Amino acid sequence: MISVAPGTYTVNLVIDDPGVSFTLRGAGAGVTFLDGDDSGAVIKVVDTGASVVTIEGFTIQNGSGDTANWGSSCGGGIYSNYANLVVNGCDFTYNESYYGGGMFIESSDGSKGVNYSNDDYPSYAVVVRDCTFEDNEANYGGGMYIYDEISVMVTRCTFEDNNAYDYGGGMYNEDAGSVTMTDCTFEDNEANYGGGMYNDSSEVSVDRCTFYGNDANDYGGGMYNDYEAIISIATCTFEENSAEYEGGGMMNVYNSAPVVTDCIFSYNEAGWRGAGMSNNDYCEPFVANCVFVGNVVIGEPYSNSIASMGDEIPMKSDGGGGMFNGFSCVPTVINCTFTQNSIPYYSSEGTYDGENGGGVKFSTSYTSTVTNCIIWGNFCGDNPNEVLDTNGDLSLIHISEPTRPY
């Protein structure tokens, strides 16, 4: 073990083929600082072979990434490639790069590579525990970027106030073989797509995580699932996330197949449709035992002329306060509750004014299935409004709609 005393150290440390497992241990993240001085990755760990490198007890700051494999900078704080790596009790802050501001993890030279197995954690090559990623920046993956057929476990970590100019404010997973997220918090992260997390063609398990206050300038405030992503999301909370256009809590597109169970989507906002969840483009979400409550589609002014008339501006939207199901998606919704979700009175083209799916809107050409759900107390403007099926192909196996008290 290598112990590092309290203090601030300016380093661009490279750990390459160490030949032996070892631990690099600071005196604690609050007192031992490794500073990259904007001169590259603070720590680069590559080609560890069977050895396991453990890094713990540091604040890792002011890194600017490694450019060896990609041309663009990767991993401002830590860059990891072909490595068995454990990172424990570290804070990543004020790092930046093109990919993975706080940390970049891959298992190849830019093409598909092998996947090592960490001897201490046999199912994972890289383990990140009890870490904080805060105020990091990147184009892709502000806090963390995981790439290629590598197995990664992230436990009890916080991703807060990270920013990605394009995708994945808190985290971006691309072609990742197996990513397991447990007991993590994503808060106040921002990106154009996927404010909290962006998953692209990856297998990701997200369990007991909280997505709070994340923002997408376009789509998917809390999470964005894309291109055949296989995602398991269980016992998570999506609260007060926002998207400028759609998918305030979650956005699912392009053959992604998220399985969402025992989750709460509450008080998320979207500018145009699908405040709690928005599904489009051949995705096949399976949603069970979830609650969608208080999600709001804000809408946009009904017309420029009306918008200039005074303070009370009528708004229009594409609907789906709790959930929107659009082009060719195939949603299955079981044992869920939709209540107190709301959308503006006016619809985008005037066809569904007052009935645009305050709770759930189905506008898909494929058959949707809703089983044993409570959809009640939702609104389109001031009108009570629960479900809109624009194509008439909704398989409503059983919906419970209690008698209204008014």
Side-chain angles (χ1 to χ4, degrees), residues 346-387:
Y346 294 101
S347 57
S348 56
E349 297 180 356
T351 307
Y352 303 110
D353 292 352
E355 56 176 7
N356 205 19
V360 186
K361 181 176 179 179
F362 297 90
S363 186
T364 172
S365 57
Y366 288 17
T367 298
S368 307
T369 301
V370 178
T371 305
N372 197 35
C373 291
I374 295 173
I375 306 177
W376 177 73
N378 303 283
F379 289 87
C380 182
D382 293 330
N383 283 11
N385 179 241
E386 315 301 355
V387 180

Side-chain angles (χ1 to χ4, degrees), residues 251-285:
M251 180 81 190
N252 302 308
V253 298
Y254 298 123
N255 297 302
S256 63
V259 176
V260 185
T261 57
D262 301 301
C263 293
I264 297 174
F265 293 79
S266 59
Y267 308 104
N268 301 286
E269 293 185 353
W272 187 238
R273 63 192 185 192
M277 179 186 292
S278 189
N279 305 308
N280 277 287
D281 300 315
Y282 303 100
C283 70
E284 298 184 15

Side-chain angles (χ1 to χ4, degrees), residues 147-353:
Y147 175 75
D148 209 354
E149 297 293 330
I150 188 167
S151 297
V152 180
M153 178 171 69
V154 183
T155 304
R156 298 186 302 274
C157 290
T158 297
F159 297 78
E160 184 174 0
D161 288 319
N162 301 287
N163 180 65
Y165 299 109
D166 291 305
Y167 302 108
M171 173 181 282
Y172 186 116
N173 298 304
E174 182 182 10
D175 295 329
S178 175
V179 178
T180 300
M181 309 288 302
T182 308
D183 296 320
C184 293
T185 298
F186 292 78
E187 182 172 353
D188 293 332
N189 302 286
E190 183 176 354
N192 285 340
Y193 297 80
M197 179 186 291
Y198 189 100
N199 300 305
D200 181 0
S201 305
S202 298
E203 294 188 17
V204 182
S205 173
V206 184
D207 192 17
R208 300 194 305 273
C209 292
T210 298
F211 294 78
Y212 178 84
N214 301 286
D215 180 63
N217 297 320
D218 291 301
Y219 305 91
M223 181 185 291
Y224 191 112
N225 298 314
D226 200 357
Y227 290 113
E228 300 181 350
I230 301 173
I231 314 296
S232 171
I233 304 155
T235 325
C236 293
T237 298
F238 294 79
E239 182 175 358
E240 294 189 20
N241 303 285
S242 62
E244 185 71 19
Y245 191 71
E246 64 179 303
M250 182 184 295
M251 180 81 190
N252 302 308
V253 298
Y254 298 123
N255 297 302
S256 63
V259 176
V260 185
T261 57
D262 301 301
C263 293
I264 297 174
F265 293 79
S266 59
Y267 308 104
N268 301 286
E269 293 185 353
W272 187 238
R273 63 192 185 192
M277 179 186 292
S278 189
N279 305 308
N280 277 287
D281 300 315
Y282 303 100
C283 70
E284 298 184 15
F286 178 92
V287 185
N289 306 318
C290 293
V291 175
F292 294 77
V293 57
N295 301 288
V296 178
V297 174
I298 303 300
E300 63 181 37
Y302 186 75
S303 72
N304 292 331
S305 60
I306 292 178
S308 64
M309 291 172 58
D311 294 333
E312 293 295 327
I313 303 175
M315 305 294 282
K316 66 178 180 179
S317 78
D318 207 17
M323 179 187 290
F324 177 88
N325 300 285
F327 178 72
S328 297
C329 70
V330 188
T332 299
V333 185
I334 300 174
N335 298 334
C336 291
T337 297
F338 296 81
T339 188
Q340 299 177 34
N341 303 288
S342 63
I343 59 176
Y345 176 85
Y346 294 101
S347 57
S348 56
E349 297 180 356
T351 307
Y352 303 110
D353 292 352

